[in-house]
Amino acid sequence: MQPTRKIAAIMSADVVGYSRLMGQDELATLQDIVAMRKLATQHVQAHEGRMIDTAGDSMLADFASAVQALHCAVGLQQELGRRNAMRAESRRMALRIGLNIGDILEQDAALYGDAVNLAARLQALGEPGGVCVSAAMHELVQGKLPVAFEFAGEHEVKNIAKPVGVYHARFAGSPVMGEGAADTPALMGQHNLPQALSSFIGRQHEMGAVKELLGEHRLVTLVGPGGIGKTRLAMQVAASMGPYFNDGVWLVELAPLADARLVPQALATVLGIKEVVGKALLQTLQTALKHKRLLVVLDNCEHVTQASAELASQLLAAAPQLKLLITSRESLHLTGEVNFPVPMLSLPADGATGISTSSATASAAQLRDFEAIHLFVERAATKSPGFALSDANAAHVLRICQCLDGMPLAIELAAARVNVLSVEQIALRLKDRFSLLTRGDRSAMPRQQALRALIDWSHDLLDAQERTVLRRLAVFAGGWTLEAAEAVVAGVGVERHDVADLLARLVEKSLVTMDDGGTRYRFLETMRQYALEQLSAAGEGDAMRDHHLACYVALAETARPHLTGAHQGDWLTRLDLERENFLAARAWCNRAAGGGESALRLLMALKLYLVSRGLLELLRWGTLEALELPGAQERTMLRSRALHTVGQVCYYMARYEEAMPHLRESLVIAREHGDVGRIAIVLQELGMASLGLGDVEGARGHLQLAMQQAQQAGDQRALMAAVNAMAQLYRSLGQLELAAPLYEQALVLAAGLEDEQSKAIALLNVTMVATGQGNAAAAHAALQQAKAIVVALGSRTDGQAVLAAASGLAALLEDWVHVARFAAAADAEAGITQMLLDPADKAFLAPLWQRARDRLGDSAYAAGWAAGAMLSYEQAMSTLGDWLNAFSR
């Protein structure tokens, strides 16, 4: 009979420690193997495969489908893992499984060929309880099942001509995943790693080494000069380690930060952790991460080394399952830190295997497998389709890569020029530039000289307008939009209508990066630093920073009216992207002419944004510092607004005593200007701060005067705020019959102003009054309306207030479990938004929460509170919606 040739997926497996098990108990081992073969055959057949051979402790099966083969192997290992968990450790029977796909021959129910032999070799490379697959198999199954893969390098396999790529499958229950791993690798869900837009070349040894270090240590720092590829290596390692971290893999980019004090805030922003009143942010981070299993990548720490070291030390001490991967030009110098110097991409040594940079003897075959060469060729092909390494250009490509010391960034920039220069021309220009730079600054490290020479050369290739735009763009931090670039860089030598084209040309020349989607641009940090030097040398630094400041003050003031209402969410997201630019603009105010006024304008316009993002402390100290700047000392209404803001933020944070002097000075200035509307607003805040201090009569006096001033000014918004505040005073005193009509008046005023957010607040106050009066129907109706408005606006801060009011209504209905749940959900949100209950709400709700505790008992109340605290905001609001609907029925 002629053999049958076909493509098949092959599964090869054997028992780990077979000889040891037989030596312990032959009979028991044979029984176990029979049972295991039966189980394996069931799995193979269930996945449309055939069990070919079960000789001794080994098994061989084939499948028509690669996915079915992987599904079978993973399922079999998971089932064996569950069975082993119930057996004595000494009698556990683990399999190693190898999977391959290829061309095989079948004759007389036996399989032959390299594909079968390779499956057996993969089995030998496998881990006990694991599944090892070939690169060919990996290509067909990746992403088809909830299985991640870890690349284990290329291996020389006996009787196989070329090295074989090997991958270990990672799935729930696999050796490195552990018992508690999720069914789906974590990286498929929780992470913020950017999607790589180009292939990752080489670094397989470095990846394996860094991953091994992370397996043994909790703090690993990738060190090396700028442009060497620390960030890209860190991203690749992090992307492959998602399955090991149930709470995600998170990138924190520190390069845009100008203020080291903001390092903890950068981490908190990425993780969605907001400051808690009365707690340092670092303490809040320690609490939040205490039981989390996650990997955090702190990228580009060199300019904030001390702050990064302090953050790392404190977090690692508080969170035992946290691991940190750092990229920096220098070590953090912490106990327990393991430094990994990132090497240059691989290149042949001069003269090795007959290759020399001074001769044309290098051939494509000799060079193509070196990492630096591979990177240059692949990147060059993207700029000049059809470019390939050949014997004719191999020596020049080698010379370029060796002149650049195998530095990835430099090589990519050089490769980007193949569409305008030959590789010979590139090699000659690089040689000239390195010589010039070496003579200019011998104190710099050689690789820094090489990188500077490359950037100098890239800069020299630009025309005058491109150079102008390049250096002016350096004032942006964290990226920019086309509109911002047009506003900032246009001027002498560059017309506004030319900026778009010039920016596009810089993107084409790989000097500026365009984010996916094409809406934002950014510099690589090394290029930004170079451009900043050029900007300083041109004497344009101050002027461009002035333009940048004006641009972002204008953006903030444009956004201000949109930070309430239906489009609030869109504008908040837009401002999120510009946060680093706002911080840079604010920092320049300390040196700019009239910087005090600009700083106050910027912060006042961003006030609602900063409050909504829980950045109250940043708003407080940022405004206090701005008030001390030249240009902010004059007793203007802008200064009055800023002082009121500081006082208001202190009130939000329950720092009532601290709020008072700022509010009093604000009031004095407003009176000097005769601004009756502002007087009313400040008086209202003074009244609430006084109430927080327990000065009821002082609060009453301020609020009565606030109402009078607002009426005199005809300022309906100020009147609405004052009326609502007076109602709060009465409610805090238990005088609901006096509070109720004022809340109704505030509701009418809000409707007249078409202010949906204020209307929702008034409705929530109506809810609490009706609750206090025992009118469940009225309370329910008002709460339903308030919730609908809040959901439409997407206002999370107001949603927190809805949950708090709901806890009061639940108490009226004696639904004590929901009292605990809604109260806990509101409290959890307060930890994020930093908005605490005001005195009236606290006085009303605290006794109701205590009543629920008394009725349920401490244990049941704690259980209800824990359930509510675990709900996400969306889950809490959904739960509330269901509860309200049930009430209606």
Side-chain angles (χ1 to χ4, degrees), residues 816-830:
W816 306 116
V817 171
H818 278 97
V819 173
R821 289 182 180 175
F822 293 145
D827 185 69
E829 284 302 304

Side-chain angles (χ1 to χ4, degrees), residues 7-12 60-67 69-70 73 97-104 111-123 131-141 157 160 164-167:
I7 300 293
I10 307 299
M11 182 178 81
S12 178
L60 184 69
D62 72 343
F63 301 80
S65 163
V67 173
L70 177 64
I97 296 180
L99 294 178
N100 183 41
I101 190 167
D103 186 6
I104 65 169
L111 305 181
Y112 304 89
D114 286 349
V116 180
N117 297 334
L118 180 54
R121 300 292 186 270
L122 292 168
Q123 163 206 301
V131 177
C132 185
V133 307
S134 65
M137 189 80 175
H138 171 262
E139 185 175 349
L140 293 175
V141 300
V157 178
I160 303 294
V164 175
V166 175
Y167 293 81

Side-chain angles (χ1 to χ4, degrees), residues 481-517:
T481 63
L482 172 60
E483 294 75 16
E486 290 172 333
V488 173
V489 307
V492 177
V494 178
E495 296 294 332
R496 187 183 182 101
H497 58 76
D498 290 331
V499 172
D501 179 62
L502 290 165
L503 184 56
R505 281 149 59 179
L506 293 175
V507 171
E508 285 295 317
K509 297 179 184 208
S510 298
L511 299 174
V512 170
T513 299
M514 184 170 64
D515 288 345
D516 191 24

Side-chain angles (χ1 to χ4, degrees), residues 154 156 162-163 201-203 345-348 355 363-375 377 389:
E154 293 189 339
E156 299 285 347
K162 294 182 179 180
I201 305 297
R203 301 287 202 202
L345 295 178
S346 65
L347 280 166
I355 302 172
S363 69
Q366 290 173 315
L367 296 180
R368 67 176 78 252
D369 291 331
F370 288 99
E371 294 171 338
I373 305 296
H374 188 179
L375 177 65
V377 172
L389 187 68

Side-chain angles (χ1 to χ4, degrees), residues 455-475:
I455 299 176
D456 280 338
W457 164 76
S458 299
H459 184 260
D460 289 346
L461 289 178
L462 304 177
D463 64 30
Q465 281 193 315
E466 290 170 339
R467 293 182 196 177
T468 299
V469 171
L470 181 74
R471 66 175 180 260
R472 292 178 180 177
L473 288 171
V475 297

Side-chain angles (χ1 to χ4, degrees), residues 257-271:
L257 295 187
D259 189 339
R261 291 177 295 181
L262 297 174
V263 170
Q265 182 64 59
L267 173 60
T269 298
V270 167
L271 297 180

Side-chain angles (χ1 to χ4, degrees), residues 32 37 79 86 118 197 221 252 506 639 728 822 837:
D32 288 342
R37 286 175 180 168
E79 178 66 21
M86 296 182 288
L118 180 54
L197 301 180
T221 301
V252 182
L506 293 175
R639 181 176 176 84
Q728 293 287 83
F822 293 145
L837 288 172

